[in-house]
Amino acid sequence: MTALLLAACGPESNSRYGDQYWDPWTTKDTFDPIVAPEFSVEFVRTSAEGEDPEVYEAMITLDASETYERLYAYSWGFQRGNKERETFSSLGASSDLQLVYAEDPDDPGNDERLEATVPGDYRMFLIGESDGPLGKVTLRFDDMAFALPGCQTTFEYYEDNIDDTLEGCAECHQRTRAGMDDPLQPGDYLRLPTNNYNVRRENFLEHVNSRIDEDNLSLPNWIVNPSHPGNGTISENSAAYQSIVEFIDMLEIIKSENSTISSANNSGGDTIPENYCVTKPAGFTFTAEE
């Protein structure tokens, strides 16, 4: 009798969402899906016809009007390389000038789409919160991806693919010995401060520049050498290591052509070797700018 009474009262004891009764054991099967944002990209060629290299920009349309109906908190951002940037809210003005929402209320005819001008592999993401039958639901839409062809500078490649890794290494590599009689510390070999992006970058480039010419040294194998101490040593099979390998290959080519990895590479002035440029994705089409 008890079991029959509980079964009869079951639906009324569960949470209710609209006209749908919720069973805690089948919530995943009955949850009303949240509509993903609509996403499209138009590529515009900004260089003159026949000019080499060809230069493109991407004009991005994002429509999340239906998605917002189910969200009470959300944030937008984008990832280029392995670095994520949460840069715009409600598709408002971006503080990161590498991805700009060009809105001009005084010019209704102005193109208000997001604009990407730095070559690379992009992934847009929307993180939001909604109400579910058993409490808060956190979601992430991050399959809005595209590649903008072209050549990044070494400065841009470092920013997108290297610095996040080195920032993790900085926990140990900011330490130096206090006196000449103290044992050497990681920061004595390569100093990577945690709070200074520019110094991390310049010190890493100088370190590579000085070690390229060392005898019997295969770059960048010293990073994953078994004698390298520390719990944060990079795995040779990781994407972070492969990015560093590619970056040092670029620097070796630059040094062979210029005899040194100069300050120009520290300021973003040099273009990386052509074979490391982002290629046009399959089916790539563009609009020639008038």
Side-chain angles (χ1 to χ4, degrees):
M1 177 64 71
T2 301
L4 290 174
L5 288 174
L6 288 175
C9 296
E12 295 299 325
S13 65
N14 293 329
S15 299
R16 187 168 181 171
Y17 188 89
D19 294 326
Q20 172 69 56
Y21 288 100
W22 292 97
D23 180 345
W25 299 106
T26 60
T27 296
K28 188 174 182 180
D29 297 329
T30 60
F31 186 77
D32 187 18
I34 296 177
V35 178
E38 293 186 10
F39 167 76
S40 63
V41 179
E42 179 186 0
F43 296 96
V44 179
R45 190 183 69 199
T46 57
S47 57
E49 186 173 357
E51 183 178 336
D52 187 31
E54 295 177 336
V55 179
Y56 302 92
E57 61 185 27
M59 306 302 294
I60 305 140
T61 299
L62 289 167
D63 182 0
S65 53
E66 291 189 45
T67 316
Y68 290 155
E69 292 179 2
R70 293 282 300 279
L71 304 180
Y72 57 78
Y74 54 85
S75 63
W76 282 96
F78 78 100
Q79 176 176 326
R80 198 177 64 229
N82 65 10
K83 187 175 184 65
E84 287 195 356
R85 303 171 174 89
E86 289 189 46
T87 56
F88 43 96
S89 177
S90 302
L91 298 187
S94 166
S95 61
D96 187 332
L97 297 180
Q98 295 163 340
L99 194 66
V100 179
Y101 184 56
E103 182 177 17
D104 184 357
D106 298 325
D107 182 7
N110 189 32
D111 195 328
E112 297 184 357
R113 291 174 294 179
L114 285 161
E115 179 182 9
T117 58
V118 177
D121 294 318
Y122 287 80
R123 186 173 297 275
M124 316 292 295
F125 58 86
L126 168 64
I127 301 172
E129 294 179 354
S130 180
D131 286 321
L134 301 180
K136 182 178 73 174
V137 176
T138 301
L139 56 95
R140 176 185 172 104
F141 294 105
D142 62 0
D143 59 347
M144 300 170 282
F146 66 94
L148 180 63
C151 297
Q152 284 189 318
T153 64
T154 53
F155 187 95
E156 292 158 350
Y157 189 93
Y158 174 88
E159 180 183 35
D160 290 352
N161 301 284
I162 306 298
D163 190 67
D164 276 11
T165 301
L166 295 189
E167 192 171 14
C169 300
E171 182 178 349
C172 290
H173 276 267
Q174 65 178 320
R175 296 199 295 267
T176 59
R177 57 184 172 179
M180 293 302 295
D181 295 331
D182 297 327
L184 286 169
Q185 295 292 323
D188 294 312
Y189 297 100
L190 171 59
R191 182 173 173 267
L192 300 172
T194 58
N195 60 350
N196 196 316
Y197 168 91
N198 289 326
V199 172
R200 275 198 307 273
R201 185 175 183 280
E202 291 172 6
N203 287 357
F204 183 71
L205 290 179
E206 290 173 4
H207 185 70
V208 173
N209 185 53
S210 65
R211 300 202 69 171
I212 284 176
D213 295 329
E214 289 186 22
D215 293 334
N216 302 317
L217 176 66
S218 176
L219 289 172
N221 291 343
W222 86 86
I223 297 173
V224 293
N225 190 299
S227 65
H228 189 167
N231 296 328
T233 302
I234 302 170
S235 164
E236 194 167 0
N237 297 320
S238 67
Y241 176 76
Q242 294 305 315
S243 293
I244 291 176
V245 169
E246 186 167 274
F247 187 58
I248 292 176
D249 284 345
M250 298 174 191
L251 297 176
E252 286 183 308
I253 293 173
I254 290 171
K255 183 164 184 177
S256 69
E257 295 173 346
N258 302 288
S259 301
T260 185
I261 301 169
S262 69
S263 59
N265 302 117
N266 281 327
S267 63
D270 280 6
T271 298
I272 64 176
E274 185 176 351
N275 53 318
Y276 291 105
C277 295
V278 180
T279 59
K280 296 177 184 177
F284 179 81
T285 57
F286 65 89
T287 300
E289 189 172 78
E290 298 295 336

